[in-house]
Amino acid sequence: MSWNFKEICIVGLGLIGGSFALNLKHKGYSGKITAVDINPKAVEEGLKLGVIDSGSTNYSIAKSADLIVLAVPVGVYRQVLDQLKPYISKGTVVSDLGSVKGHLVYMCEEFLKGLAPFVGGHPIAGTEKSGVENAVKNLFDGAKFIVTPTENTDKKALEKIVSLWKSLGSQVVEMDPFYHDQVFAAVSHLPHLVAYSIVDAIAKLSEDLKTNLFQFTGGGFKDFTRIAMSDPVMWRDICIENKENLLKVLKAFKDSIEKAENLIRNSNKEELKVFFENSKEKRSSVK
Amino acid sequence: MSWNFKEICIVGLGLIGGSFALNLKHKGYSGKITAVDINPKAVEEGLKLGVIDSGSTNYSIAKSADLIVLAVPVGVYRQVLDQLKPYISKGTVVSDLGSVKGHLVYMCEEFLKGLAPFVGGHPIAGTEKSGVENAVKNLFDGAKFIVTPTENTDKKALEKIVSLWKSLGSQVVEMDPFYHDQVFAAVSHLPHLVAYSIVDAIAKLSEDLKTNLFQFTGGGFKDFTRIAMSDPVMWRDICIENKENLLKVLKAFKDSIEKAENLIRNSNKEELKVFFENSKEKRSSVK
């Protein structure tokens, strides 16, 4: 299997960046893996765990890479690119692992124009944990990887990125960057926002009832709110960068809640049953 | 270990009733276990799985029991009691496993007055599956069991029920029936309603985007919406029987959503981070 890249530099060594490194090694990538992170502890941990071969808090480490992968919160892409720019060698492919694409892909392309080809990507995998120390083996194996080329995307760079993710076991799906943001606003960003919000509501209700309601939660609640333990900065950035789509799907969600609420208020037993049955059927179809 | 009851009749042999039978057998209960279910297939399945010793679609099977346990949807309690009444021997303890207590406990007490003592109960355990064929071993082991005595509750009957659930490995917690409904409206009924609603919203958004959005869901979404596969009739009944509390906690939830929505709309990065951080911290405290 040809990996196409001799040295991969991961910018931001958190759970996703760390898992990317770990999975490269596990799938037999034999090139060099380096990482830059502003937090020296992340770099130290990555070296200790052996997921990277070399690491630094200084962006200059990216200089010798032929692939640079951004794995930082989407809110700092521009700042990070500013810092990285002096160390991006001409022709080096730049890619990312961010959950928002649309305008960010075009920003990266514009920023790197004439210097390096950019290929936007988003692995549909993760956990509610944070940090390289929680990197997961085979995280991307069997998972979807969304690649979001534009009319400007360098075809060769795109092919190389697609091939790399296939080598990691991912199912690569091509999608328009703006369409991507509509889709993931619904199936990922909305659920996270709702999970954080329901925990907020139960904390508030705990105060009202003068008891810690969380002590009475069962397994269903725990599964339901697991994603509320996800990294706050990462999700804050996602919500703000994909604001327009998120507010739209939030509107749809509030409509659904209102529909259910009215059925309950009116004790409409038949229609409420149908509402629940339809959702059960849809959810059960998810493999 | 004394089990206090020689013959237990379970009314409604679904996931919870079936698990109750299975767990009794697993914990060494040596008395007889019978069941009545209007669905002959449930009875047949229960006998085949060996979780019950005898079963029928006729309520008369309850006649010889010294404990009758209602494990039917809370919306049919009154009808079921009407059918059962001729077969409740004087002094037989009647209990239940329903998720709504408040007015239902008082209704059962009033209905059974002078005939049999009633003890309301609610095991904080379950799965999103339905049916006796999905009964779970050790479902109640280590789980909370909420017992909801009133000023009318027979002390001896209460002690017997508490002792039985302790024998099943549950941690028994005593709670006022109306307080119970406030607590579980927040930590259980609200999350279920929200899960059904978010699936409804994503189904609607799938139509708008002319794509099956569910194909792009990851592990987080699956955990988040697992409870939307729960039994529609059971949850329809819970939502309607606990309507007043559910509408109140729904209001608190909508306030939390609105708070988050405004922070996103205004790109209030600092406060949105704090909002997510607080929820993460609260959720992380749940053991």
Side-chain angles (χ1 to χ4, degrees):
Chain A
M1 201 174 285
S2 159
W3 285 91
N4 295 312
F5 301 104
K6 285 185 184 128
E7 183 172 330
I8 299 176
C9 179
I10 300 166
V11 182
L13 199 62
L15 175 91
I16 292 293
S19 296
F20 179 54
L22 182 63
N23 282 264
L24 281 169
K25 292 211 174 278
H26 260 268
K27 291 289 184 183
Y29 172 73
S30 56
K32 191 174 176 182
I33 303 176
T34 70
V36 50
D37 199 294
I38 50 169
N39 177 5
K41 278 189 187 158
V43 173
E44 204 180 292
E45 191 69 25
L47 288 167
K48 210 177 77 189
L49 294 169
V51 303
I52 55 171
D53 302 306
S54 176
S56 173
T57 56
N58 194 312
Y59 288 92
S60 63
I61 197 172
K63 213 172 174 176
S64 45
D66 53 354
L67 171 63
I68 295 173
V69 177
L70 306 182
V72 291
V74 289
V76 296
Y77 271 29
R78 180 57 204 249
Q79 285 161 254
V80 164
L81 284 175
D82 275 332
Q83 304 265 355
L84 260 179
K85 198 170 187 182
Y87 311 109
I88 302 175
S89 308
K90 201 164 163 80
T92 288
V93 176
V94 180
S95 188
D96 81 318
L97 310 177
S99 297
V100 182
K101 306 261 69 88
H103 70 101
L104 286 173
V105 167
Y106 284 93
M107 183 276 286
C108 292
E109 276 183 354
E110 184 60 30
F111 187 95
L112 295 165
K113 206 170 174 177
L115 174 60
F118 179 79
V119 181
H122 176 204
I124 311 308
T127 80
E128 75 284 2
K129 301 208 174 97
S130 313
V132 60
E133 63 277 18
N134 290 307
V136 179
K137 249 189 245 180
N138 299 323
L139 183 62
F140 309 113
D141 218 340
K144 285 191 171 63
F145 179 80
I146 314 292
V147 70
T148 56
T150 70
E151 61 284 8
N152 312 311
T153 303
D154 181 277
K155 292 282 170 293
K156 274 196 182 152
L158 174 63
E159 267 171 38
K160 283 179 174 180
I161 292 295
V162 167
S163 158
L164 181 144
W165 282 92
K166 283 187 178 164
S167 300
L168 290 178
S170 294
Q171 181 199 343
V172 179
V173 177
E174 213 177 291
M175 213 181 264
D176 171 81
F178 288 105
Y179 185 72
H180 164 281
D181 290 357
Q182 291 183 289
V183 167
F184 289 93
V187 300
S188 172
H189 310 169
L190 175 66
H192 279 80
L193 186 65
V194 168
Y196 284 120
S197 297
I198 204 166
V199 172
D200 182 71
I202 290 172
K204 216 164 45 187
L205 289 162
S206 290
E207 288 174 23
D208 296 349
L209 283 176
K210 295 184 178 45
T211 189
N212 173 14
L213 286 171
F214 294 102
Q215 69 184 301
F216 298 114
T217 53
F221 179 86
K222 282 170 201 163
D223 278 353
F224 183 68
T225 53
R226 183 161 294 120
I227 54 177
M229 292 190 285
S230 304
D231 186 64
V233 170
M234 173 181 160
W235 282 96
R236 183 267 313 267
D237 282 4
I238 291 170
C239 290
I240 289 178
E241 293 294 332
N242 198 23
K243 183 199 286 199
E244 214 176 296
N245 291 306
L246 184 52
L247 292 176
K248 254 184 227 163
V249 299
L250 201 48
K251 168 83 175 65
F253 170 65
K254 292 199 295 185
D255 289 348
S256 292
I257 281 279
E258 203 180 309
K259 188 173 154 191
E261 190 177 2
N262 286 330
L263 295 174
I264 291 168
R265 184 170 287 118
N266 302 324
S267 295
N268 191 330
K269 296 188 86 167
E270 191 44 40
E271 282 191 40
L272 187 59
K273 189 182 75 155
V274 171
F275 182 87
F276 288 174
E277 278 171 349
N278 286 341
S279 289
K280 177 182 171 147
E281 192 195 320
K282 296 272 196 262
R283 174 56 183 83
S284 301
S285 73
V286 180
K287 274 165 232 127
Chain B
M1 201 175 285
S2 159
W3 285 91
N4 295 312
F5 301 105
K6 285 185 184 128
E7 184 172 329
I8 300 176
C9 178
I10 301 166
V11 182
L13 198 63
L15 175 92
I16 291 293
S19 295
F20 178 54
L22 182 63
N23 282 262
L24 281 168
K25 293 213 174 276
H26 260 269
K27 291 289 184 181
Y29 171 73
S30 55
K32 192 174 175 183
I33 304 176
T34 70
V36 49
D37 199 295
I38 50 169
N39 177 5
K41 277 188 188 159
V43 173
E44 203 181 293
E45 190 70 24
L47 288 168
K48 210 177 77 190
L49 295 169
V51 303
I52 56 171
D53 302 307
S54 176
S56 174
T57 57
N58 194 312
Y59 287 92
S60 62
I61 198 172
K63 214 172 174 177
S64 46
D66 53 353
L67 171 63
I68 295 173
V69 177
L70 307 182
V72 291
V74 289
V76 297
Y77 270 29
R78 179 57 203 250
Q79 285 162 253
V80 164
L81 284 174
D82 275 331
Q83 305 264 356
L84 260 180
K85 198 170 186 182
Y87 310 110
I88 302 175
S89 308
K90 200 163 162 82
T92 288
V93 177
V94 180
S95 188
D96 81 316
L97 309 177
S99 296
V100 182
K101 306 262 68 89
H103 71 101
L104 285 174
V105 168
Y106 284 93
M107 184 277 286
C108 292
E109 276 183 355
E110 184 59 30
F111 186 94
L112 296 165
K113 206 170 174 177
L115 174 61
F118 179 80
V119 181
H122 175 203
I124 310 308
T127 79
E128 75 284 3
K129 301 207 173 97
S130 313
V132 60
E133 64 276 18
N134 290 307
V136 179
K137 249 190 245 181
N138 299 323
L139 183 62
F140 309 114
D141 219 340
K144 285 193 172 62
F145 180 80
I146 313 292
V147 69
T148 57
T150 71
E151 60 284 6
N152 312 311
T153 303
D154 181 276
K155 292 283 171 295
K156 273 196 183 152
L158 174 63
E159 267 171 39
K160 284 179 175 181
I161 293 295
V162 167
S163 158
L164 183 144
W165 283 92
K166 283 186 178 164
S167 299
L168 290 179
S170 293
Q171 180 199 343
V172 179
V173 177
E174 213 177 291
M175 213 181 264
D176 171 81
F178 288 104
Y179 185 72
H180 165 280
D181 290 356
Q182 291 183 290
V183 167
F184 289 93
V187 300
S188 172
H189 311 170
L190 176 65
H192 279 81
L193 186 66
V194 168
Y196 284 120
S197 298
I198 204 167
V199 172
D200 182 72
I202 290 172
K204 216 164 44 187
L205 289 162
S206 290
E207 287 174 24
D208 296 348
L209 283 175
K210 294 184 178 44
T211 189
N212 173 14
L213 285 171
F214 295 102
Q215 70 185 300
F216 298 114
T217 54
F221 179 85
K222 282 169 201 163
D223 278 353
F224 183 68
T225 54
R226 183 162 293 120
I227 54 177
M229 290 190 285
S230 303
D231 186 64
V233 170
M234 174 182 160
W235 282 96
R236 183 268 314 264
D237 282 3
I238 291 169
C239 290
I240 288 177
E241 294 294 331
N242 199 24
K243 183 199 283 198
E244 214 176 297
N245 290 306
L246 184 52
L247 293 177
K248 254 183 227 163
V249 299
L250 202 47
K251 168 84 174 64
F253 170 65
K254 292 200 294 185
D255 288 347
S256 292
I257 282 278
E258 203 179 309
K259 188 173 153 190
E261 190 177 2
N262 285 330
L263 295 175
I264 292 168
R265 185 170 285 119
N266 302 324
S267 296
N268 191 331
K269 296 188 87 166
E270 190 46 39
E271 283 191 41
L272 187 59
K273 188 182 76 156
V274 171
F275 183 86
F276 288 174
E277 278 172 348
N278 286 342
S279 289
K280 177 182 170 146
E281 192 194 320
K282 297 272 197 260
R283 174 55 184 83
S284 301
S285 74
V286 180
K287 272 164 235 130

